[in-house]
Amino acid sequence: AIDLPNYGDSEWSTQNLSIADYATIVQATLAKLEVTSYSLYGVHGGASVALDLAARYPEEVQSLILSGVPLFTDEERAKLHAGLKPLQFIEDGSHYQIWWESFRQKWASTTPAEIIESAVVDIMKAGSSYDVGYRAAFDYNPLQALEKVNQPIYLPVAVNDPLVLKNEQVLSMKIHVSEE
């Protein structure tokens, strides 16, 4: 698995990266590893990266596994951008609680604590530049890539995923999409 800048354990970047930039990084990494045929798994912003790669490198990408394709409306994008706030580290550690409550309010009340914990940890790992990746994900509209790709797409359903309802939109577009 490749950690993109500002995600996971990768280096931080304050450079404004786009989903196309992230896709280029993934493709360059795979080329350097001499991997020329592959399937991609992507969650949320990672689903957009996978779609962008599949649209630009159809001879390399064999299939896609996409969880929570972020097919946002313009209104949803504006709301998501407005919700991005600076990450401020508070000496007593209460910034963790602030982010916990933020995710708890955004997501369904049935969202397991483990998922919220993972989201908070990811934000903390990315630090003060966490928003770079989120802005890229919110700005990218995967619709054009979805319309272009011909590779099989598998849509696993993560019941507590806040973007699971977007699967219906993807399914209505693609006849070679599988969902379980």
Side-chain angles (χ1 to χ4, degrees), residues 83-159:
L84 285 174
K85 57 188 178 220
L87 175 62
Q88 296 177 329
F89 291 96
I90 303 170
E91 202 165 307
D92 66 3
S94 59
H95 55 287
Y96 285 89
Q97 185 65 37
I98 291 167
W99 280 93
W100 185 282
E101 289 304 320
S102 174
F103 283 115
R104 174 74 70 201
Q105 289 174 14
K106 281 187 228 180
W107 296 348
S109 61
T110 57
T111 302
E114 295 82 15
I115 292 176
I116 294 173
E117 177 186 31
S118 178
V120 171
V121 168
D122 285 346
I123 294 290
M124 296 304 143
K125 280 183 175 183
S128 60
S129 59
Y130 86 93
D131 62 322
V132 171
Y134 282 92
R135 287 185 197 288
F138 298 161
D139 288 343
Y140 183 80
N141 186 346
L143 190 57
Q144 286 183 328
L146 265 170
E147 291 171 343
K148 186 175 180 182
V149 299
N150 289 314
Q151 297 91 332
I153 298 173
Y154 176 69
L155 295 172
V157 174
V159 177

Side-chain angles (χ1 to χ4, degrees), residues 2-178:
I2 298 170
D3 278 341
L4 299 172
N6 295 348
Y7 288 98
D9 293 317
S10 68
E11 294 180 14
W12 293 7
S13 171
T14 55
Q15 178 184 8
N16 288 329
L17 298 170
S18 67
I19 291 298
D21 294 329
Y22 285 124
T24 298
I25 290 167
V26 171
Q27 198 280 331
T29 301
L30 292 171
K32 187 158 185 100
L33 295 170
E34 299 180 4
V35 177
T36 58
S37 179
Y38 46 88
S39 293
L40 294 167
Y41 172 69
V43 178
H44 297 190
S48 290
V49 172
L51 281 163
D52 193 76
L53 267 163
R56 290 197 288 150
Y57 302 97
E59 66 286 351
E60 294 180 17
V61 179
Q62 302 306 303
S63 62
L64 298 166
I65 304 165
L66 307 175
S67 182
V69 178
L71 288 168
F72 300 125
T73 64
D74 290 341
E75 181 180 318
E76 288 170 321
R77 286 177 201 291
K79 186 175 179 181
L80 289 164
H81 273 292
L84 285 174
K85 57 188 178 220
L87 175 62
Q88 296 177 329
F89 291 96
I90 303 170
E91 202 165 307
D92 66 3
S94 59
H95 55 287
Y96 285 89
Q97 185 65 37
I98 291 167
W99 280 93
W100 185 282
E101 289 304 320
S102 174
F103 283 115
R104 174 74 70 201
Q105 289 174 14
K106 281 187 228 180
W107 296 348
S109 61
T110 57
T111 302
E114 295 82 15
I115 292 176
I116 294 173
E117 177 186 31
S118 178
V120 171
V121 168
D122 285 346
I123 294 290
M124 296 304 143
K125 280 183 175 183
S128 60
S129 59
Y130 86 93
D131 62 322
V132 171
Y134 282 92
R135 287 185 197 288
F138 298 161
D139 288 343
Y140 183 80
N141 186 346
L143 190 57
Q144 286 183 328
L146 265 170
E147 291 171 343
K148 186 175 180 182
V149 299
N150 289 314
Q151 297 91 332
I153 298 173
Y154 176 69
L155 295 172
V157 174
V159 177
N160 294 303
D161 184 339
L163 297 182
V164 73
L165 297 177
K166 301 295 185 179
N167 282 3
E168 291 303 318
Q169 189 174 351
V170 176
L171 286 168
S172 71
M173 298 172 58
K174 308 298 285 184
I175 58 169
H176 56 281
V177 173
S178 173

